[in-house]
Tab-separated table of all heavy atoms in Angstrom:
chain	number	residue	atom	x	y	z
A	1	MET	N	-18.372	-6.928	9.081
A	1	MET	CA	-17.916	-5.688	8.434
A	1	MET	C	-18.160	-4.536	9.464
A	1	MET	O	-19.199	-4.464	10.112
A	1	MET	CB	-18.732	-5.447	7.195
A	1	MET	CG	-18.299	-4.216	6.460
A	1	MET	SD	-18.693	-4.507	4.677
A	1	MET	CE	-18.126	-3.003	4.060
A	2	THR	N	-17.190	-3.663	9.554
A	2	THR	CA	-17.295	-2.561	10.490
A	2	THR	C	-17.547	-1.243	9.723
A	2	THR	O	-16.938	-1.016	8.676
A	2	THR	CB	-15.948	-2.412	11.274
A	2	THR	OG1	-15.678	-3.612	11.904
A	2	THR	CG2	-16.004	-1.287	12.275
A	3	ALA	N	-18.434	-0.484	10.278
A	3	ALA	CA	-18.713	0.846	9.608
A	3	ALA	C	-17.517	1.721	9.819
A	3	ALA	O	-16.823	1.696	10.844
A	3	ALA	CB	-19.952	1.436	10.220
A	4	THR	N	-17.228	2.554	8.806
A	4	THR	CA	-16.104	3.477	8.906
A	4	THR	C	-16.605	4.914	8.739
A	4	THR	O	-17.659	5.154	8.179
A	4	THR	CB	-15.051	3.232	7.803
A	4	THR	OG1	-15.685	3.312	6.548
A	4	THR	CG2	-14.514	1.784	7.915
A	5	GLY	N	-15.832	5.838	9.204
A	5	GLY	CA	-16.214	7.230	9.159
A	5	GLY	C	-15.735	7.856	7.847
A	5	GLY	O	-14.819	7.317	7.140
A	6	VAL	N	-16.217	9.006	7.532
A	6	VAL	CA	-15.846	9.727	6.314
A	6	VAL	C	-14.394	10.080	6.315
A	6	VAL	O	-13.757	10.066	5.248
A	6	VAL	CB	-16.771	10.989	6.134
A	6	VAL	CG1	-16.314	11.815	4.979
A	6	VAL	CG2	-18.219	10.582	6.025
A	7	ASP	N	-13.835	10.387	7.434
A	7	ASP	CA	-12.423	10.888	7.541
A	7	ASP	C	-11.425	9.785	7.797
A	7	ASP	O	-10.238	10.065	7.979
A	7	ASP	CB	-12.297	11.971	8.604
A	7	ASP	CG	-13.065	13.248	8.183
A	7	ASP	OD1	-13.144	13.528	6.996
A	7	ASP	OD2	-13.598	13.915	9.086
A	8	ASP	N	-11.870	8.511	7.827
A	8	ASP	CA	-10.936	7.408	8.050
A	8	ASP	C	-9.948	7.355	6.861
A	8	ASP	O	-10.355	7.466	5.713
A	8	ASP	CB	-11.636	6.102	8.241
A	8	ASP	CG	-12.425	6.029	9.554
A	8	ASP	OD1	-12.043	6.715	10.481
A	8	ASP	OD2	-13.339	5.210	9.623
A	9	PRO	N	-8.654	7.168	7.128
A	9	PRO	CA	-7.685	7.073	6.024
A	9	PRO	C	-7.908	5.805	5.207
A	9	PRO	O	-8.194	4.736	5.753
A	9	PRO	CB	-6.360	7.064	6.728
A	9	PRO	CG	-6.603	6.661	8.141
A	9	PRO	CD	-8.038	7.042	8.432
A	10	VAL	N	-7.726	5.926	3.923
A	10	VAL	CA	-7.865	4.778	2.982
A	10	VAL	C	-6.610	4.697	2.133
A	10	VAL	O	-6.152	5.665	1.564
A	10	VAL	CB	-9.094	4.978	2.044
A	10	VAL	CG1	-9.214	3.866	1.017
A	10	VAL	CG2	-10.390	5.070	2.849
A	11	LEU	N	-6.033	3.530	2.087
A	11	LEU	CA	-4.835	3.255	1.225
A	11	LEU	C	-5.259	2.283	0.121
A	11	LEU	O	-5.741	1.254	0.397
A	11	LEU	CB	-3.715	2.672	2.095
A	11	LEU	CG	-2.461	2.216	1.351
A	11	LEU	CD1	-1.780	3.412	0.689
A	11	LEU	CD2	-1.553	1.515	2.307
A	12	ARG	N	-5.036	2.700	-1.115
A	12	ARG	CA	-5.261	1.835	-2.256
A	12	ARG	C	-3.918	1.482	-2.896
A	12	ARG	O	-3.212	2.419	-3.299
A	12	ARG	CB	-6.190	2.545	-3.248
A	12	ARG	CG	-7.550	2.856	-2.704
A	12	ARG	CD	-8.462	3.588	-3.703
A	12	ARG	NE	-9.612	4.132	-3.095
A	12	ARG	CZ	-10.697	3.427	-2.738
A	12	ARG	NH1	-10.792	2.165	-2.964
A	12	ARG	NH2	-11.726	4.057	-2.187
A	13	VAL	N	-3.671	0.179	-2.993
A	13	VAL	CA	-2.410	-0.281	-3.521
A	13	VAL	C	-2.659	-0.966	-4.863
A	13	VAL	O	-3.429	-1.952	-4.922
A	13	VAL	CB	-1.653	-1.249	-2.542
A	13	VAL	CG1	-0.394	-1.757	-3.133
A	13	VAL	CG2	-1.474	-0.540	-1.193
A	14	ASP	N	-2.038	-0.489	-5.926
A	14	ASP	CA	-2.122	-1.130	-7.241
A	14	ASP	C	-0.816	-1.921	-7.414
A	14	ASP	O	0.207	-1.345	-7.728
A	14	ASP	CB	-2.255	-0.048	-8.322
A	14	ASP	CG	-2.374	-0.670	-9.723
A	14	ASP	OD1	-2.204	-1.905	-9.832
A	14	ASP	OD2	-2.544	0.105	-10.693
A	15	GLY	N	-0.886	-3.193	-7.209
A	15	GLY	CA	0.276	-4.038	-7.293
A	15	GLY	C	0.905	-4.157	-8.630
A	15	GLY	O	1.983	-4.755	-8.775
A	16	THR	N	0.208	-3.690	-9.687
A	16	THR	CA	0.770	-3.791	-11.043
A	16	THR	C	1.790	-2.681	-11.314
A	16	THR	O	2.520	-2.752	-12.265
A	16	THR	CB	-0.314	-3.727	-12.124
A	16	THR	OG1	-0.972	-2.478	-12.075
A	16	THR	CG2	-1.352	-4.864	-11.902
A	17	GLU	N	1.813	-1.668	-10.476
A	17	GLU	CA	2.694	-0.548	-10.673
A	17	GLU	C	3.999	-0.727	-9.848
A	17	GLU	O	3.944	-1.198	-8.741
A	17	GLU	CB	2.034	0.773	-10.274
A	17	GLU	CG	0.846	1.113	-11.129
A	17	GLU	CD	1.233	1.375	-12.576
A	17	GLU	OE1	2.277	1.994	-12.825
A	17	GLU	OE2	0.454	0.924	-13.426
A	18	PRO	N	5.140	-0.360	-10.375
A	18	PRO	CA	6.381	-0.422	-9.613
A	18	PRO	C	6.381	0.551	-8.448
A	18	PRO	O	5.692	1.546	-8.481
A	18	PRO	CB	7.475	-0.122	-10.616
A	18	PRO	CG	6.799	0.607	-11.735
A	18	PRO	CD	5.370	0.151	-11.752
A	19	VAL	N	7.174	0.267	-7.476
A	19	VAL	CA	7.286	1.134	-6.318
A	19	VAL	C	7.993	2.441	-6.764
A	19	VAL	O	8.960	2.416	-7.502
A	19	VAL	CB	8.107	0.474	-5.170
A	19	VAL	CG1	8.323	1.441	-4.023
A	19	VAL	CG2	7.408	-0.766	-4.733
A	20	SER	N	7.426	3.590	-6.304
A	20	SER	CA	8.046	4.860	-6.663
A	20	SER	C	8.197	5.675	-5.387
A	20	SER	O	7.663	5.360	-4.327
A	20	SER	CB	7.133	5.625	-7.641
A	20	SER	OG	5.896	5.972	-6.968
A	21	SER	N	8.981	6.794	-5.513
A	21	SER	CA	9.157	7.640	-4.329
A	21	SER	C	7.809	8.285	-3.953
A	21	SER	O	7.531	8.466	-2.738
A	21	SER	CB	10.229	8.702	-4.604
A	21	SER	OG	9.856	9.486	-5.707
A	22	ALA	N	6.971	8.552	-4.905
A	22	ALA	CA	5.654	9.137	-4.595
A	22	ALA	C	4.789	8.144	-3.806
A	22	ALA	O	4.072	8.483	-2.884
A	22	ALA	CB	4.953	9.550	-5.880
A	23	ALA	N	4.875	6.846	-4.181
A	23	ALA	CA	4.117	5.848	-3.459
A	23	ALA	C	4.621	5.672	-2.026
A	23	ALA	O	3.812	5.528	-1.093
A	23	ALA	CB	4.213	4.511	-4.199
A	24	VAL	N	5.908	5.743	-1.857
A	24	VAL	CA	6.488	5.622	-0.505
A	24	VAL	C	6.077	6.829	0.332
A	24	VAL	O	5.709	6.661	1.491
A	24	VAL	CB	8.034	5.478	-0.564
A	24	VAL	CG1	8.651	5.571	0.824
A	24	VAL	CG2	8.400	4.182	-1.255
A	25	GLU	N	6.154	8.011	-0.218
A	25	GLU	CA	5.718	9.224	0.491
A	25	GLU	C	4.240	9.114	0.907
A	25	GLU	O	3.851	9.491	2.007
A	25	GLU	CB	5.983	10.433	-0.351
A	25	GLU	CG	7.423	10.806	-0.444
A	25	GLU	CD	7.664	12.055	-1.313
A	25	GLU	OE1	6.772	12.950	-1.325
A	25	GLU	OE2	8.694	12.122	-1.961
A	26	ALA	N	3.418	8.646	-0.020
A	26	ALA	CA	1.955	8.476	0.274
A	26	ALA	C	1.763	7.484	1.393
A	26	ALA	O	0.939	7.703	2.297
A	26	ALA	CB	1.198	8.043	-0.988
A	27	LEU	N	2.501	6.388	1.363
A	27	LEU	CA	2.406	5.342	2.421
A	27	LEU	C	2.817	5.918	3.755
A	27	LEU	O	2.120	5.701	4.737
A	27	LEU	CB	3.277	4.140	2.052
A	27	LEU	CG	3.264	3.005	3.076
A	27	LEU	CD1	1.914	2.447	3.328
A	27	LEU	CD2	4.254	1.916	2.653
A	28	LEU	N	3.910	6.625	3.836
A	28	LEU	CA	4.388	7.213	5.087
A	28	LEU	C	3.352	8.214	5.618
A	28	LEU	O	3.090	8.286	6.790
A	28	LEU	CB	5.737	7.900	4.900
A	28	LEU	CG	6.910	6.959	4.632
A	28	LEU	CD1	8.170	7.748	4.321
A	28	LEU	CD2	7.142	6.042	5.780
A	29	GLY	N	2.792	9.011	4.709
A	29	GLY	CA	1.796	10.014	5.152
A	29	GLY	C	0.521	9.387	5.716
A	29	GLY	O	0.062	9.801	6.718
A	30	ILE	N	0.073	8.328	5.051
A	30	ILE	CA	-1.159	7.699	5.556
A	30	ILE	C	-0.912	6.937	6.843
A	30	ILE	O	-1.759	6.849	7.728
A	30	ILE	CB	-1.852	6.825	4.457
A	30	ILE	CG1	-3.319	6.633	4.809
A	30	ILE	CG2	-1.141	5.491	4.336
A	30	ILE	CD1	-4.179	6.387	3.667
A	31	CYS	N	0.298	6.357	7.001
A	31	CYS	CA	0.672	5.695	8.248
A	31	CYS	C	0.700	6.702	9.428
A	31	CYS	O	0.200	6.419	10.540
A	31	CYS	CB	1.995	4.975	8.133
A	31	CYS	SG	1.895	3.501	7.153
A	32	ASP	N	1.304	7.893	9.146
A	32	ASP	CA	1.278	8.929	10.203
A	32	ASP	C	-0.127	9.349	10.527
A	32	ASP	O	-0.458	9.513	11.719
A	32	ASP	CB	2.050	10.173	9.689
A	32	ASP	CG	3.547	9.944	9.650
A	32	ASP	OD1	4.049	8.957	10.270
A	32	ASP	OD2	4.271	10.735	8.982
A	33	ARG	N	-0.954	9.517	9.532
A	33	ARG	CA	-2.361	9.864	9.766
A	33	ARG	C	-3.104	8.824	10.561
A	33	ARG	O	-3.861	9.119	11.485
A	33	ARG	CB	-3.055	10.154	8.431
A	33	ARG	CG	-4.415	10.676	8.571
A	33	ARG	CD	-4.925	11.164	7.233
A	33	ARG	NE	-6.407	11.340	7.392
A	33	ARG	CZ	-7.270	11.121	6.434
A	33	ARG	NH1	-6.855	10.776	5.249
A	33	ARG	NH2	-8.519	11.284	6.656
A	34	ALA	N	-2.859	7.524	10.219
A	34	ALA	CA	-3.545	6.453	10.937
A	34	ALA	C	-3.063	6.341	12.368
A	34	ALA	O	-3.816	6.013	13.259
A	34	ALA	CB	-3.306	5.130	10.170
A	35	ALA	N	-1.783	6.624	12.589
A	35	ALA	CA	-1.200	6.510	13.930
A	35	ALA	C	-1.778	7.550	14.882
A	35	ALA	O	-1.879	7.328	16.094
A	35	ALA	CB	0.324	6.633	13.867
A	36	THR	N	-2.164	8.677	14.365
A	36	THR	CA	-2.711	9.723	15.224
A	36	THR	C	-4.207	9.776	15.223
A	36	THR	O	-4.805	10.571	15.953
A	36	THR	CB	-2.159	11.135	14.747
A	36	THR	OG1	-2.586	11.372	13.417
A	36	THR	CG2	-0.662	11.205	14.867
A	37	GLY	N	-4.877	8.946	14.429
A	37	GLY	CA	-6.339	8.909	14.375
A	37	GLY	C	-6.927	7.938	15.336
A	37	GLY	O	-6.245	7.190	16.043
A	38	THR	N	-8.227	7.903	15.393
A	38	THR	CA	-8.932	6.971	16.260
A	38	THR	C	-9.712	5.901	15.518
A	38	THR	O	-10.113	4.946	16.064
A	38	THR	CB	-9.972	7.732	17.141
A	38	THR	OG1	-10.849	8.429	16.310
A	38	THR	CG2	-9.247	8.692	18.039
A	39	GLY	N	-9.794	6.078	14.197
A	39	GLY	CA	-10.513	5.088	13.398
A	39	GLY	C	-9.567	4.110	12.698
A	39	GLY	O	-8.355	4.171	12.889
A	40	PRO	N	-10.134	3.210	11.908
A	40	PRO	CA	-9.309	2.225	11.243
A	40	PRO	C	-8.593	2.804	10.045
A	40	PRO	O	-8.928	3.829	9.501
A	40	PRO	CB	-10.325	1.190	10.787
A	40	PRO	CG	-11.565	1.994	10.542
A	40	PRO	CD	-11.564	3.060	11.624
A	41	LEU	N	-7.565	2.097	9.593
A	41	LEU	CA	-6.877	2.362	8.325
A	41	LEU	C	-7.432	1.321	7.378
A	41	LEU	O	-7.272	0.133	7.596
A	41	LEU	CB	-5.389	2.240	8.439
A	41	LEU	CG	-4.573	2.209	7.142
A	41	LEU	CD1	-4.859	3.446	6.246
A	41	LEU	CD2	-3.095	1.984	7.387
A	42	ILE	N	-8.064	1.763	6.315
A	42	ILE	CA	-8.695	0.857	5.383
A	42	ILE	C	-7.700	0.664	4.168
A	42	ILE	O	-7.166	1.623	3.635
A	42	ILE	CB	-10.002	1.408	4.837
A	42	ILE	CG1	-10.938	1.657	6.028
A	42	ILE	CG2	-10.644	0.494	3.776
A	42	ILE	CD1	-11.982	2.645	5.801
A	43	VAL	N	-7.385	-0.618	3.871
A	43	VAL	CA	-6.430	-0.926	2.809
A	43	VAL	C	-7.115	-1.743	1.731
A	43	VAL	O	-7.727	-2.761	2.031
A	43	VAL	CB	-5.210	-1.696	3.352
A	43	VAL	CG1	-4.268	-2.094	2.265
A	43	VAL	CG2	-4.521	-0.911	4.467
A	44	TYR	N	-7.004	-1.294	0.492
A	44	TYR	CA	-7.469	-2.049	-0.694
A	44	TYR	C	-6.201	-2.353	-1.484
A	44	TYR	O	-5.477	-1.466	-1.887
A	44	TYR	CB	-8.393	-1.232	-1.561
A	44	TYR	CG	-9.674	-0.821	-0.850
A	44	TYR	CD1	-9.828	0.445	-0.277
A	44	TYR	CD2	-10.773	-1.689	-0.783
A	44	TYR	CE1	-11.011	0.830	0.376
A	44	TYR	CE2	-11.974	-1.334	-0.171
A	44	TYR	CZ	-12.060	-0.081	0.416
A	44	TYR	OH	-13.236	0.270	1.034
A	45	ALA	N	-5.950	-3.660	-1.710
A	45	ALA	CA	-4.786	-4.071	-2.515
A	45	ALA	C	-5.247	-4.977	-3.659
A	45	ALA	O	-6.103	-5.829	-3.489
A	45	ALA	CB	-3.839	-4.822	-1.605
A	46	ALA	N	-4.698	-4.691	-4.837
A	46	ALA	CA	-5.053	-5.502	-5.984
A	46	ALA	C	-3.885	-5.557	-6.921
A	46	ALA	O	-2.970	-4.705	-6.912
A	46	ALA	CB	-6.247	-4.829	-6.712
A	47	GLY	N	-3.856	-6.584	-7.785
A	47	GLY	CA	-2.864	-6.690	-8.815
A	47	GLY	C	-1.590	-7.413	-8.332
A	47	GLY	O	-1.442	-7.676	-7.150
A	48	ALA	N	-0.734	-7.675	-9.318
A	48	ALA	CA	0.543	-8.318	-9.030
A	48	ALA	C	1.550	-7.740	-9.981
A	48	ALA	O	1.177	-7.300	-11.080
A	48	ALA	CB	0.424	-9.819	-9.280
A	49	PRO	N	2.816	-7.713	-9.592
A	49	PRO	CA	3.851	-7.132	-10.486
A	49	PRO	C	3.891	-7.891	-11.784
A	49	PRO	O	3.655	-9.077	-11.873
A	49	PRO	CB	5.118	-7.317	-9.681
A	49	PRO	CG	4.719	-7.501	-8.273
A	49	PRO	CD	3.380	-8.164	-8.350
A	50	ARG	N	4.257	-7.183	-12.840
A	50	ARG	CA	4.446	-7.796	-14.158
A	50	ARG	C	5.647	-8.721	-14.079
A	50	ARG	O	6.597	-8.496	-13.305
A	50	ARG	CB	4.683	-6.732	-15.197
A	50	ARG	CG	3.412	-5.877	-15.414
A	50	ARG	CD	3.677	-4.780	-16.431
A	50	ARG	NE	2.534	-3.936	-16.546
A	50	ARG	CZ	2.385	-2.791	-15.874
A	50	ARG	NH1	3.290	-2.377	-15.073
A	50	ARG	NH2	1.252	-2.068	-16.028
A	51	PRO	N	5.722	-9.731	-14.968
A	51	PRO	CA	6.912	-10.626	-14.954
A	51	PRO	C	8.207	-9.812	-15.160
A	51	PRO	O	8.238	-8.867	-15.943
A	51	PRO	CB	6.642	-11.530	-16.174
A	51	PRO	CG	5.138	-11.491	-16.327
A	51	PRO	CD	4.710	-10.101	-15.911
A	52	GLY	N	9.221	-10.202	-14.426
A	52	GLY	CA	10.501	-9.527	-14.517
A	52	GLY	C	10.662	-8.376	-13.595
A	52	GLY	O	11.755	-7.844	-13.414
A	53	TRP	N	9.612	-7.916	-12.914
A	53	TRP	CA	9.700	-6.792	-12.016
A	53	TRP	C	10.319	-7.165	-10.702
A	53	TRP	O	10.995	-6.432	-10.055
A	53	TRP	CB	8.287	-6.182	-11.787
A	53	TRP	CG	8.324	-4.950	-10.976
A	53	TRP	CD1	8.638	-3.705	-11.472
A	53	TRP	CD2	8.029	-4.771	-9.603
A	53	TRP	NE1	8.539	-2.770	-10.477
A	53	TRP	CE2	8.180	-3.393	-9.331
A	53	TRP	CE3	7.653	-5.622	-8.580
A	53	TRP	CZ2	7.988	-2.865	-8.035
A	53	TRP	CZ3	7.458	-5.139	-7.312
A	53	TRP	CH2	7.615	-3.757	-7.060
A	54	THR	N	10.127	-8.469	-10.327
A	54	THR	CA	10.724	-8.953	-9.086
A	54	THR	C	11.694	-10.081	-9.464
A	54	THR	O	11.754	-10.524	-10.593
A	54	THR	CB	9.625	-9.554	-8.170
A	54	THR	OG1	8.983	-10.575	-8.809
A	54	THR	CG2	8.606	-8.467	-7.741
A	55	ARG	N	12.452	-10.498	-8.482
A	55	ARG	CA	13.348	-11.617	-8.727
A	55	ARG	C	13.188	-12.622	-7.607
A	55	ARG	O	12.711	-12.309	-6.508
A	55	ARG	CB	14.766	-11.154	-8.874
A	55	ARG	CG	15.254	-10.379	-7.722
A	55	ARG	CD	16.629	-9.784	-8.025
A	55	ARG	NE	16.962	-9.000	-6.823
A	55	ARG	CZ	18.153	-8.957	-6.308
A	55	ARG	NH1	19.117	-9.566	-6.888
A	55	ARG	NH2	18.386	-8.249	-5.232
A	56	SER	N	13.652	-13.816	-7.785
A	56	SER	CA	13.527	-14.884	-6.817
A	56	SER	C	14.402	-14.596	-5.622
A	56	SER	O	15.472	-14.005	-5.760
A	56	SER	CB	13.952	-16.212	-7.444
A	56	SER	OG	13.952	-17.211	-6.465
A	57	SER	N	13.964	-15.003	-4.426
A	57	SER	CA	14.769	-14.833	-3.230
A	57	SER	C	15.555	-16.060	-2.918
A	57	SER	O	16.239	-16.127	-1.901
A	57	SER	CB	13.842	-14.434	-2.046
A	57	SER	OG	12.956	-15.525	-1.831
A	58	THR	N	15.493	-17.064	-3.791
A	58	THR	CA	16.288	-18.292	-3.539
A	58	THR	C	17.720	-18.069	-4.023
A	58	THR	O	17.985	-17.192	-4.787
A	58	THR	CB	15.680	-19.492	-4.254
A	58	THR	OG1	15.680	-19.242	-5.661
A	58	THR	CG2	14.255	-19.755	-3.783
A	59	SER	N	18.586	-18.858	-3.466
A	59	SER	CA	20.026	-18.758	-3.837
A	59	SER	C	20.632	-20.137	-4.008
A	59	SER	O	20.214	-21.123	-3.409
A	59	SER	CB	20.732	-18.026	-2.704
A	59	SER	OG	22.115	-17.981	-2.943
A	60	ASP	N	21.645	-20.193	-4.849
A	60	ASP	CA	22.355	-21.463	-5.070
A	60	ASP	C	23.570	-21.621	-4.128
A	60	ASP	O	24.342	-22.569	-4.284
A	60	ASP	CB	22.848	-21.541	-6.551
A	60	ASP	CG	21.684	-21.659	-7.498
A	60	ASP	OD1	20.643	-22.153	-7.116
A	60	ASP	OD2	21.852	-21.196	-8.670
A	61	CYS	N	23.716	-20.727	-3.186
A	61	CYS	CA	24.881	-20.791	-2.296
A	61	CYS	C	24.783	-21.924	-1.330
A	61	CYS	O	23.811	-22.301	-0.855
A	61	CYS	CB	24.985	-19.463	-1.481
A	61	CYS	SG	25.316	-18.038	-2.536
């Protein structure tokens, strides 16, 4: 485990929530911040989409 600083960017992803424009804007902002910083980008991800939120990528073609 690596120690992190107080100002290191942290991204928390709640996988149970659908993607929104606010979530995309937050992601872009934290990526910009991480790209110009010197510390790590810390990511916490949890949850999974509710049934019916996604669809299969397979095809009968």
Side-chain angles (χ1 to χ4, degrees):
M1 182 154 181
T2 304
T4 60
V6 175
D7 293 328
D8 290 336
V10 176
L11 175 62
R12 296 180 193 282
V13 179
D14 180 356
T16 63
E17 296 297 319
V19 176
S20 67
S21 59
V24 172
E25 287 180 33
L27 177 61
L28 292 173
I30 202 155
C31 287
D32 287 345
R33 188 171 163 212
T36 59
T38 57
L41 167 59
I42 302 158
V43 178
Y44 297 98
R50 293 177 185 95
W53 187 78
T54 60
R55 56 188 179 140
S56 175
S57 62
T58 61
S59 174
D60 293 332
C61 296

